[in-house]
Amino acid sequence: MTSTEVKNFRNDFQNAVEKLQKKYGVNISTGTIRYTDSELRFKVTARKGEVTNKLSKDNLQVGDIVSINHKKVPSSKRFEVIKVMTKNIKVREVGGYQQYTVSPHLLKKA
C-alpha cells in the first residue's frame, strides 16, 4: 500500500463508522496506521459520549474557546486557541498556565 492509499483508507473508514457512532453514542477514532505493501494495522477506540464533529485547522481561529477531547484532559477545562499551525493547534488553558499543541480533530468548540 502507498501512503496515499492509507490516507484515503483512513478517511473512508471514518466516513463508514459514522452510522455506528450515532447508533451507539460513541466517538470512534483510529490510532497510528502501520502498513506494508500488503497490509495495514491500526488501533480503533470507541469512547462513550456525545458524537463530536471532527474539526480541521480551517474551522479554528486564534481566540476561539475549545475543550480537548482526550482521556487525560478533563472535559470541563477550557482552552483558548493561541496559534494555528500547519498541522496542529496551540492552545492555552483559560485562567491557567498550561499550554498544549494538539491535533485539530481532538478539539471541540466550547
Side-chain angles (χ1 to χ4, degrees):
M1 299 190 102
T2 65
S3 62
T4 303
E5 288 175 318
V6 172
K7 286 178 187 175
N8 290 337
F9 179 88
R10 180 189 291 273
N11 289 334
D12 291 344
F13 183 83
Q14 282 301 132
N15 291 335
V17 298
E18 282 183 16
K19 285 183 183 177
L20 292 173
Q21 290 183 128
K22 290 176 184 170
K23 182 176 180 179
Y24 294 101
V26 295
N27 286 303
I28 298 174
S29 61
T30 58
T32 302
I33 296 178
R34 292 165 202 79
Y35 63 96
T36 64
D37 291 340
S38 60
E39 71 177 14
L40 60 83
R41 295 175 310 282
F42 60 97
K43 178 180 174 182
V44 176
T45 303
R47 187 173 292 125
K48 269 284 204 203
E50 67 181 75
V51 177
T52 57
N53 295 330
K54 305 289 186 226
L55 295 177
S56 70
K57 69 177 189 141
D58 300 329
N59 302 108
L60 297 163
Q61 299 178 42
V62 173
D64 284 350
I65 303 299
V66 295
S67 60
I68 299 176
N69 185 19
H70 191 274
K71 63 183 176 186
K72 292 188 177 181
V73 180
S75 60
S76 60
K77 283 192 175 185
R78 297 294 176 247
F79 299 87
E80 178 184 3
V81 174
I82 56 175
K83 187 174 183 181
V84 178
M85 298 176 281
T86 306
K87 291 185 179 179
N88 295 315
I89 308 295
K90 186 174 275 193
V91 296
R92 179 181 334 135
E93 184 180 4
V94 174
Y97 299 103
Q98 288 183 315
Q99 287 188 13
Y100 296 102
T101 301
V102 297
S103 179
H105 77 273
L106 290 175
L107 298 176
K108 182 173 121 179
K109 287 195 176 182

